[in-house]
Amino acid sequence: MQPPSSLAYVDDKRQLIVLDPSGTQRALSGGDDLLWATWGQSAPSDVHSWPTWSPDGQRLAAFRIAKSGDHSRVWATDIDGVHSAEISAMGRRIPIYLQWSTDGSRLAVLSQDDSELVLQVADPLAEASDVELLRGSPLFFTWVSGDRLATFVGEGTPTKPHLAVLSPGGARLDLPGAPGNFCAPVSLPRGVAYVAHVHQQVVVMVSSLDGRRITELEVVDGLVALLASPDGRFLARAISPDGSGSPYHQLELLEVATARAQPITDAPCVAFFWLPSGEGLVVASREGDRAEVSWSWIELDGTSHPLMELIPSRDTRVYLRFFEQYGPSHPIVDPTGSVLALCGTRPGEDEGPSRVYLVPLDGGLPEEIGGGLFATFAPNPSAVEP
């Protein structure tokens, strides 16, 4: 199968591979120092994780970790591998997550330093020094309005849990409410959505970036997951009642402007992702302690279309655990909404290596393209050739 848009994936040796719509696969090379060397070589080599595409689909950034585990950094390259730069050194900190700014001019980098998470901003051209913005745990964020970051910092910080909007010059604005059982803030065209304790209740809120216009959409009870529709008019919302890692239920559509709620399904799920058209959601579900995850896509009226069962790779398990953070920046549905990229092993083959599958959303058979641990699509179909 030829993907509609370029696909970057980390293979089972943690080499970075790009598959373009012509069907051509190529390993990105870092030059003479074997930056993208494989496990099988005798020379010291690096391994890689969490490739992420720039907004224009012409560059990739990824974590590079020394095989010895004593040196981590961020590396950015154009998709032919010719122009590249090491843009952020993290030493022994554990790499967690990368997100490009909406204009592609900066990268937000999340890493772990002992018990703290560290948020810094790096220049993808390596022309400016990194800027450390925050430390704390937990720590979730998203770029908003191009050059600002909405950040949720939890317990373990000098202040109580808060959600703040950070500006490039260092200015910080705390938004109303004390965030509790929720993860990444959600960027909207004119603000940010989040969940906070207000008036002794847990409320889904929408705020302008200056904090002057606040809308309370609904009162909820439990751990809440939120994802904005591609046009920002709606929030997909689900609730895990006990907030202890149990499946989400009550998947609903919330209209941002009116707070009108439309139920989609009450079936349990572990993660969900918008289709690029906004006409439905890809949903991941798991029953009890089963290793298999069942994938389907669901229309907004609740009609479900089963796709595939797969035992997820380790990287995919992390992705599902923090899907609100990773989903918007590391899409696993191609921009045309026709193909889903999944990594794992089929039931009954759990001893085998993880594979990359392209799964047609029209009900066609999945196609294996090779060994791999995580895959993500370029953001637009024009990103096809270097």
Side-chain angles (χ1 to χ4, degrees):
M1 180 187 299
Q2 297 177 358
S5 178
S6 292
L7 181 78
Y9 69 93
V10 177
D11 72 7
D12 49 9
K13 296 180 175 60
R14 290 205 174 272
Q15 184 180 23
L16 185 61
I17 309 294
V18 171
L19 171 65
D20 67 35
S22 71
T24 301
Q25 296 195 48
R26 59 187 183 277
L28 290 188
S29 170
D32 296 337
D33 56 353
L34 300 177
L35 296 180
W36 300 93
T38 67
W39 281 102
Q41 293 173 311
S42 57
S45 60
D46 292 343
V47 294
H48 311 88
S49 64
W50 302 120
T52 179
W53 293 89
S54 61
D56 63 4
Q58 297 303 307
R59 305 196 77 202
L60 278 164
F63 288 115
R64 293 175 46 221
I65 308 99
K67 194 175 176 182
S68 62
D70 62 359
H71 185 42
S72 300
R73 55 264 201 223
V74 179
W75 194 72
T77 179
D78 53 19
I79 58 175
D80 62 3
V82 173
H83 302 289
S84 61
E86 185 176 298
I87 63 173
S88 181
M90 297 178 292
R92 298 183 65 88
R93 297 209 303 268
I94 299 170
I96 302 293
Y97 173 69
L98 293 170
Q99 188 185 102
W100 290 84
S101 61
T102 54
D103 63 1
S105 66
R106 293 186 295 167
L107 271 165
V109 182
L110 188 68
S111 60
Q112 183 173 337
D113 187 10
D114 294 327
S115 62
E116 285 188 312
L117 295 176
V118 180
L119 174 61
Q120 60 196 97
V121 172
D123 175 5
L125 299 178
E127 295 175 350
S129 300
D130 294 358
V131 176
E132 184 176 310
L133 296 180
L134 285 174
R135 286 177 174 255
S137 182
L139 202 165
F140 298 95
F141 64 88
T142 191
W143 290 97
V144 290
S145 187
D147 59 356
R148 285 178 283 183
L149 282 161
T151 61
F152 162 43
V153 185
E155 300 290 353
T157 60
T159 59
K160 294 180 179 179
H162 61 276
L163 192 135
V165 176
L166 307 179
S167 299
R172 165 181 151 176
L173 173 67
D174 287 355
L175 297 182
N181 288 340
F182 105 114
C183 294
V186 177
S187 178
L188 296 172
R190 295 181 181 85
V192 59
Y194 61 106
V195 182
H197 293 275
V198 179
H199 312 308
Q200 298 182 333
Q201 296 177 311
V202 180
V203 182
V204 178
M205 306 181 66
V206 173
S207 174
S208 60
L209 298 181
D210 59 10
R212 295 178 181 177
R213 295 182 300 279
I214 306 293
T215 303
E216 297 182 6
L217 295 185
E218 68 168 352
V219 176
V220 292
D221 184 15
L223 177 66
V224 179
L226 298 174
L227 279 180
S229 62
D231 61 8
R233 294 176 54 210
F234 299 95
L235 293 170
R237 186 274 288 142
I239 300 174
S240 174
D242 62 13
S244 63
S246 60
Y248 291 97
H249 292 265
Q250 303 176 51
L251 180 57
E252 295 188 358
L253 201 63
L254 298 179
E255 188 171 19
V256 173
T258 67
R260 182 178 64 90
Q262 173 187 327
I264 300 176
T265 179
D266 194 41
C269 66
V270 295
F272 50 90
F273 310 90
W274 280 95
L275 294 179
S277 66
E279 297 176 349
L281 297 157
V282 170
V283 175
S285 304
R286 184 174 54 234
E287 295 183 8
D289 295 328
R290 293 184 62 198
E292 296 92 343
V293 170
S294 299
W295 293 85
S296 60
W297 79 271
I298 298 180
E299 299 177 45
L300 298 184
D301 65 3
T303 303
S304 181
H305 304 268
L307 296 172
M308 187 182 194
E309 277 198 348
L310 203 63
I311 301 170
S313 67
R314 179 184 178 278
D315 293 47
T316 302
R317 291 197 300 272
V318 173
Y319 185 83
L320 293 175
R321 172 66 180 84
F322 300 104
F323 73 95
E324 307 102 307
Q325 180 76 81
Y326 284 89
S329 55
H330 295 69
I332 58 175
V333 181
D334 84 279
T336 70
S338 59
V339 176
L340 173 67
L342 298 177
C343 296
T345 55
R346 288 181 179 270
E349 301 176 356
D350 51 302
E351 297 300 322
S354 175
R355 317 297 292 175
V356 182
Y357 294 92
L358 297 182
V359 185
L361 295 184
D362 64 4
L365 294 176
E367 181 174 323
E368 178 188 319
I369 63 170
L373 304 170
F374 177 73
T376 182
F377 281 106
N380 58 72
S382 64
V384 295
E385 294 289 346

